[in-house]
Amino acid sequence: MSVARILKSRRASGGGLELDSVEVRVEMEESDVENLTPKDHLEVHETIAECMIFANHWVAKKIVEHFPNQALLRNHPSPRQDQFDMLIKCAASRGFNIDTTSNKSLAESLNKCVDVNDPTVNKLLRQLAVYAMSTAQYFSTGSIAHDQFFHYGLALDLYTHFTSPIRRYADIIVHRQLLAAIGVDNSDNLPSNKILDELADHINIKHKAAQNAQRDSQELFQSLYFKDKKPDDEQCIVDAVIFQLRINGFLVFIPRYGIKGPVYLRNKEGQVVFIGKDERPEWTSGTLVRDDKSITVNTLHNSHKYSLFHHITVQISLQLSRAHSASLRLELLDNKPLKDDNSTLYGNQNTDRSNIVKEVQSTMIKESEKELPSHDLGPNFAALKQEFGQTDDSKSLYHIFETFKKISLKPL
């Protein structure tokens, strides 16, 4: 972890971005969806990710050195400045200034956008920064100019994907190129720049399809979870944060489930929703007035303003359709935060990192002290293991990463 912190600090000083995304874990009980919980982000995850980035970077350097015109790399172009408009406006609503002239200035700006009373503000701004980013692409080095090889988000001049060959075909190609670069394999069988460029386009298409499948899968499990829930169930009434304004409502983020979706303030009949004296939503005649920071509901009785990053209470229900797949419907229940809501997405992430380090160390010691059962495997086992067996578990990286994985699944 100490090494990973140093590696990360070097990238950060060069402009590496620390963005945020929400991964949701589906908890199953046989065939039923029991719960949807955002995954905790621990330092062991950052440690493994930083080591992978480091390996990917140096492998990219090696294959470009040997195959300058036919190496498979991954670049991340600089985003267009107009793509940052939403991020800049949202940050300004809380008095923060976002400098987007470079990845370094953007990273420094995001680090300053901290609301001590509401940790979701910084997390949402980092998620909005993701929306502004260009799409990273695989490419062959002989197909684009050398000054376009860089990776904007990671602040690296060269980058590729080498560390996940069990799930990405691009990594397998890079493995072959690396083996040829270090003289283990023959380079005559490697694809030319033309073939590699066509292959990179194909991999990019498949990568996008995989992302779409992942998104659709998440939406499917969300629908299954709320399928048999009644609208007034405890699981369906949640706290939400406004992060984008629209003409007829706004988009909200639900920390409890990691869900984003629209909440409408005006229906198809032109009525607007208003929270009455009995704190119940009512549809009545009125108008909506929107500016850069807020949207206001005006009725004959009163008016109410909804501002960016304002917490409200919404109700989740499943909306069925004969023509399309089922989708979640979010409806305004109260213009105030949900009372006694202790389920926040980021609550567990403020745990002291030194405690995580101690837990890793203590777990490794316990694992190494375990006495394994002995079995008689025959007189030739020792020789066979030395010739064909895996590395001793106590020394293998696989064993270390498996330990990290088990630790990440434990509740903090």
Side-chain angles (χ1 to χ4, degrees), residues 325-366:
S325 59
S327 60
L328 297 184
R329 182 178 183 181
L330 310 181
E331 296 178 281
L332 180 67
L333 204 60
D334 196 347
N335 52 22
K336 302 181 185 64
L338 179 63
K339 297 177 182 178
D340 302 324
D341 180 33
N342 296 319
S343 60
T344 61
L345 174 61
Y346 311 107
N348 291 338
Q349 296 183 17
N350 295 324
T351 305
D352 189 352
R353 287 184 171 180
S354 62
N355 293 334
I356 299 174
V357 176
K358 291 177 182 177
E359 185 178 355
V360 172
Q361 293 172 340
S362 63
T363 303
M364 292 293 290
I365 293 172
K366 291 177 182 177

Side-chain angles (χ1 to χ4, degrees), residues 156-174:
L156 295 172
D157 57 339
L158 295 171
Y159 190 69
T160 190
H161 273 165
F162 159 79
T163 53
S164 297
I166 61 172
R167 67 186 179 94
R168 288 189 303 230
Y169 183 62
D171 300 62
I172 295 177
I173 297 175
V174 173

Side-chain angles (χ1 to χ4, degrees), residues 23 25 38-42 45 345 348-349 408 410-412:
E23 291 186 71
R25 180 172 61 242
K39 293 182 181 179
D40 292 329
H41 188 68
L42 308 180
H45 300 146
L345 174 61
N348 291 338
Q349 296 183 17
S408 71
K410 293 179 180 179
L412 295 177

Side-chain angles (χ1 to χ4, degrees), residues 47-66:
T47 298
I48 295 172
E50 203 62 44
C51 290
M52 287 182 170
I53 292 171
F54 190 70
N56 289 336
H57 171 60
W58 281 97
V59 168
K61 281 181 173 289
K62 187 68 175 179
I63 61 176
V64 168
E65 177 185 341
H66 284 263

Side-chain angles (χ1 to χ4, degrees), residues 35 225-226 229-241 252-257 259 279-281 312-318 328-344:
N35 200 5
Y225 177 68
F226 290 101
K229 300 281 191 302
K230 296 180 179 179
D232 56 352
D233 284 352
E234 179 186 355
Q235 296 90 341
C236 298
I237 300 175
V238 294
D239 188 75
V241 187
V252 299
F253 172 65
I254 300 174
R256 179 173 177 177
Y257 298 118
I259 292 174
E279 297 187 348
R280 289 174 177 261
I312 59 174
T313 302
V314 301
Q315 185 178 59
I316 305 175
S317 61
L318 189 63
L328 297 184
R329 182 178 183 181
L330 310 181
E331 296 178 281
L332 180 67
L333 204 60
D334 196 347
N335 52 22
K336 302 181 185 64
L338 179 63
K339 297 177 182 178
D340 302 324
D341 180 33
N342 296 319
S343 60
T344 61

